[in-house]
């Protein structure tokens, strides 16, 4: 018999580790293991010892991450097709001031078999688009790897929902699987840009005309960094990115803070109308994080003056995510989603424009209750960015800006991106979106509602003390159709008067 000497034990351990590492490299389900063969198991080991030990070793590490434990389990378990139910009850403090809850009915209804969808396209739109209640929010190729874009787009194609390209243009990774695209243009006009950095109408018309592009979106601002454009360092402007964005190879690529194509609300509305025409009548939208109510009202006055407007407006909350932004902006600039959404919704209602414009909402939408809450606050549909990243395998390591994403989602390193298995992760994206919408529809049914149009601000309540809650109907002012135009109520009159269709600045 061979005696187990230390050197033999070490050799056996080495061989076992090598075998595990080889298996990890070949398997396709876990991106972490593909990038960190053998040692990556430590993560799963800690995750497996739950909940007691996890609290000390893993949860502490998660403190302060954007998505809490409950939300993370919802996203990951749904994506993996696990039941997504939890034993024992809530871990939230339901008597906390600010805690919000949805009002169920004594007489729930049965949920519709097919989830409701939203037709996007106002009177000037010739090719309306049927939008899902939950879609993939704007994230560019450049911020995300080619494999992440492929997985998102294939998920969208399989699940019948929309995928926003982000401002980095339409890449071949967006096109490979043919999922519905919303093409976003930011201040850099990437993908439809002249060599001087201006909007190029011919190139725009050419690409917007592609069948896969279902709508076009003009980005004014994004919640995590409103008022600043992104910078792609020269080293990252590879030949591929330069080609997709229409910028020179190896030169710093800057998105300016503001658009050059317009300077006033009226000019902005005119530009949107031109985009819609160039896109062959497809829906045109606007994405913004709200700064001030006066600016939103100025936009409404411009729409009334010009007689047209966007087909949709996506309101992004300051709690939204980014691949890279200064912390001061992430934490302190821009209006949170709840207030931004209610501002845009009420401004459109009050200006008599709401029935022709659909409103989307983004900002930490992750679960079914988030969708329902945003619909109550004035949205017609929602978009999610980080939750979708997590469905493709993101583990919130928060290293997107370094290019060293451990799971190949937010990186341009081909070696790291290889870890992301497109067929597996696209199915996770599809499952996550499908089950989350299904849950939103089920919650609405518990509230006695089969159609989102039946939701009212009475359906959402907020604890104002530890023992008393009030409904959103009670807490906020909701305008009647056309009220601003007829006679602005006292709470809105000053801002309505200060808003001008000819400038974004309030007139005194
Ligand atoms: C990695 C990453 C890249 C993003 N890139 C863009 C972009 O190109 N254009 C844009 O309008 N928003 C961009 N966003 C913002 C999202 O589209 C979204 O508005 C915001 O993150 C809120 O959604 P979330 O809270 O679900 O992440 C990006 C977000 C992330 C996380």
């Amino acid at each position: 018999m061979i005696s187990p000497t230390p050197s033999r034990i070490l050799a056996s351990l080495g061989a076992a580790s090598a075998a595990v590492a080889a298996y990890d490299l070949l398997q396709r389900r876990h991106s972490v293991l593909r990038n960190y063969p053998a040692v990556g198991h430590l993560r799963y080991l800690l995750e497996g010892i739950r909940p007691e030990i996890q609290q000390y070793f893993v949860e502490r590490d998660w403190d302060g991450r954007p998505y809490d434990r409950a939300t993370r389990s919802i996203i990951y378990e749904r994506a993996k097709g696990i039941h997504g139910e939890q034993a024992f009850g809530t871990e939230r403090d339901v008597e906390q001031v600010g805690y919000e809850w949805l009002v169920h009915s004594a007489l729930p209804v049965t949920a519709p078999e097919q989830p409701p969808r939203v037709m996007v396209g106002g009177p000037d739109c010739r090719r309306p688009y049927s939008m899902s209640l939950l879609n993939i929010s704007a994230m560019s190729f450049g911020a995300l790897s080619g494999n992440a874009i492929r997985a998102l787009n294939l998920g969208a194609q399989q699940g019948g929902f929309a995928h926003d390209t982000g401002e980095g243009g339409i890449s071949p990774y967006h096109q490979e699987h043919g999922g519905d695209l919303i093409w976003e243009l930011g201040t850099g006009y990437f993908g439809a840009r002249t060599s001087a950095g201006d909007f190029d109408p011919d190139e725009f018309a050419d690409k917007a005309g592609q069948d896969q592009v279902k709508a076009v979106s003009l980005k004014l601002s994004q919640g995590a960094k409103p008022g600043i454009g992104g910078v792609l360092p020269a080293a990252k402007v590879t030949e591929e990115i330069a080609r997709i964005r229409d910028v020179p190879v190896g030169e710093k690529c800057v998105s300016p803070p503001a658009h050059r194509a317009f300077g006033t609300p009226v000019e902005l509305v005119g530009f949107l109308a031109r985009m819609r025409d160039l896109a062959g009548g497809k829906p045109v939208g606007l994405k913004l994080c709200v700064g001030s109510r006066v600016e939103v009202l100025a936009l409404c006055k411009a729409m009334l003056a010009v007689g047209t407007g966007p087909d949709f407006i996506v309101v992004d909350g300051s709690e939204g995510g980014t691949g890279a932004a200064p912390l001061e902006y992430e934490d302190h600039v821009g209006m949170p989603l709840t207030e931004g959404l209610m501002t845009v919704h009420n401004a459109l209602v009050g200006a008599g424009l709401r029935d022709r414009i659909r409103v989307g909402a983004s900002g930490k939408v992750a679960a079914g209750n988030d969708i329902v809450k945003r619909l109550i606050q004035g949205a017609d549909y929602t978009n999610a960015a980080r939750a979708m990243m997590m469905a493709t395998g993101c583990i919130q390591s928060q290293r997107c800006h370094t290019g060293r994403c451990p799971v190949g989602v937010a990186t341009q390193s081909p070696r790291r991106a290889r870890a992301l298995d497109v067929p597996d992760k696209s199915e996770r994206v599809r499952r996550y979106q499908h089950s989350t919408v299904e849950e939103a529809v089920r919650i609405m049914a518990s509230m006695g509602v089969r159609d989102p149009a039946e939701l009212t601000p009475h359906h959402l309540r907020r604890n104002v003390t530890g023992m008393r809650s009030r409904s959103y109907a009670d807490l906020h002012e909701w305008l009647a159709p056309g009220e601003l135009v007829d006679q602005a109520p006292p709470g809105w009159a000053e801002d309505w008067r200060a808003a001008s269709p000819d400038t974004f600045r309030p007139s005194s």
Side-chain angles (χ1 to χ4, degrees):
M1 189 183 136
I2 304 170
S3 59
T5 61
S7 59
R8 284 203 183 113
I9 293 174
L10 275 179
S12 315
L13 281 177
S17 305
V20 170
Y23 176 78
D24 288 347
L25 279 171
L26 292 174
Q27 61 79 37
R28 293 176 171 274
R29 274 177 63 80
H30 302 293
S31 312
V32 171
L33 299 182
R34 277 160 74 84
N35 269 337
Y36 299 95
V39 288
H41 284 279
L42 275 176
R43 174 171 183 270
Y44 294 102
L45 190 72
L46 288 175
E47 266 194 350
I49 313 171
R50 48 181 304 200
E52 302 83 355
I53 305 217
Q54 189 181 13
Q55 254 172 342
Y56 296 102
F57 291 99
V58 180
E59 288 305 311
R60 187 170 301 170
D61 182 39
W62 284 104
D63 275 355
R65 302 277 165 120
Y67 291 84
D68 61 24
R69 188 165 86 88
T71 312
R72 284 201 317 276
S73 343
I74 286 179
I75 301 169
Y76 291 138
E77 294 190 0
R78 292 237 167 97
K80 290 177 189 164
I82 303 172
H83 51 71
E85 288 175 351
Q86 183 76 38
F88 248 65
T90 185
E91 291 177 2
R92 298 186 189 278
D93 177 0
V94 297
E95 291 189 337
Q96 198 177 35
V97 175
Y99 172 78
E100 292 186 335
W101 46 281
L102 297 163
V103 179
H104 70 281
S105 164
L107 216 56
V109 294
T110 44
E113 259 173 36
Q114 291 302 321
R117 294 181 73 93
V118 185
M119 201 49 98
V120 176
D124 303 314
C125 167
R126 296 198 303 278
R127 297 165 72 177
Y129 175 67
S130 164
M131 187 82 82
S132 168
L133 290 183
L134 177 64
N135 307 279
I136 302 169
S137 196
M139 291 180 282
S140 310
F141 168 64
L144 301 190
S145 66
N147 270 355
I149 298 285
R150 281 187 177 115
L152 290 170
N153 193 261
L154 180 56
Q157 190 269 332
Q158 305 267 294
F161 50 98
H163 177 191
D164 191 314
T165 60
E167 63 184 296
I170 304 174
S171 73
Y173 311 104
H174 288 100
Q175 294 173 310
E176 206 172 297
H177 298 292
D180 290 353
L181 289 180
I182 312 293
W183 179 22
E184 180 181 80
L185 277 194
T187 54
Y189 307 116
F190 298 129
R193 162 190 170 103
T194 65
S195 51
D198 290 313
F199 175 67
D200 180 336
D202 295 330
E203 196 179 2
F204 176 78
D206 199 33
K207 291 185 183 165
Q210 291 170 14
D211 214 31
Q212 193 188 355
V213 174
K214 301 300 177 194
V216 289
S217 173
L218 186 72
K219 173 184 167 182
L220 289 192
S221 56
Q222 150 183 5
K225 47 179 177 184
I228 48 171
V231 175
L232 205 57
K236 283 194 166 176
V237 184
T238 58
E239 206 168 295
E240 182 179 40
I241 295 225
R243 195 176 52 248
I244 293 164
R245 294 194 177 201
D246 287 340
V247 295
V249 184
E251 280 180 31
K252 188 164 82 174
C253 171
V254 181
S255 304
H259 280 274
R260 298 201 202 179
F262 52 88
T264 69
V266 160
E267 286 169 11
L268 165 57
V269 171
F271 185 64
L272 290 168
R274 185 171 172 223
M275 282 174 71
R276 185 169 40 225
D277 272 352
L278 291 166
K282 291 180 183 173
V284 63
L286 196 62
K287 172 174 178 175
L288 84 166
C289 172
V290 177
S292 75
R293 188 163 77 174
V294 174
E295 287 188 344
V296 175
L297 293 175
L299 191 60
C300 291
K301 282 192 172 174
M303 293 183 220
L304 292 171
V306 181
T308 186
D311 299 290
F312 63 99
I313 297 179
V314 175
V315 185
D316 200 27
S318 59
E319 61 269 57
T322 175
L327 200 55
E328 289 91 331
Y329 277 84
E330 290 182 6
D331 285 352
H332 300 289
V333 186
M335 199 178 277
L337 181 55
T338 292
E339 190 180 350
L341 184 54
M342 293 193 306
T343 300
V344 168
H345 168 74
N346 277 297
L348 291 174
V349 172
L353 296 163
R354 185 66 179 87
D355 54 352
R356 53 166 68 193
I357 299 172
R358 296 288 178 241
V359 176
S362 56
K364 296 195 80 174
V365 172
N369 57 291
D370 296 322
I371 298 179
V372 179
K373 169 172 153 174
R374 298 313 179 187
L375 297 183
I376 291 172
Q377 292 174 341
D380 294 298
Y381 67 92
T382 60
N383 296 332
R386 285 166 294 175
M388 292 291 183
M389 281 172 76
M390 288 160 77
T392 63
C394 161
I395 54 170
Q396 292 193 89
S397 78
Q398 298 182 317
R399 277 190 268 160
C400 316
H401 60 298
T402 67
R404 295 201 310 273
C405 173
V407 285
V409 176
T411 179
Q412 289 305 302
S413 150
R415 186 182 63 76
R416 287 173 183 274
R418 173 205 158 272
L420 195 158
D421 183 61
V422 175
D424 180 55
K425 297 301 189 280
S426 60
E427 179 55 12
R428 290 190 190 196
V429 170
R430 186 202 65 76
R431 273 197 297 247
Y432 162 67
Q433 192 273 354
H434 174 83
S435 323
T436 304
V437 170
E438 195 171 56
E439 210 52 59
V441 173
R442 182 156 74 156
I443 293 173
M444 285 190 269
S446 299
M447 298 165 74
V449 163
R450 277 174 69 85
D451 182 335
E454 297 163 35
L455 291 170
T456 74
H458 292 278
H459 282 115
L460 179 61
R461 296 186 72 88
R462 185 180 178 88
N463 291 352
V464 289
T465 71
M467 284 183 297
R468 241 175 71 82
S469 67
R470 287 174 69 191
S471 82
Y472 264 64
D474 224 13
L475 285 170
H476 302 283
E477 189 171 14
W478 299 88
L479 300 188
E483 194 176 349
L484 287 171
V485 182
D486 298 340
Q487 165 115 55
W492 286 73
E494 197 178 318
D495 282 353
W496 181 247
R497 188 191 48 74
S500 157
D502 297 314
T503 170
F504 280 108
R505 315 242 174 270
S507 57
S508 44

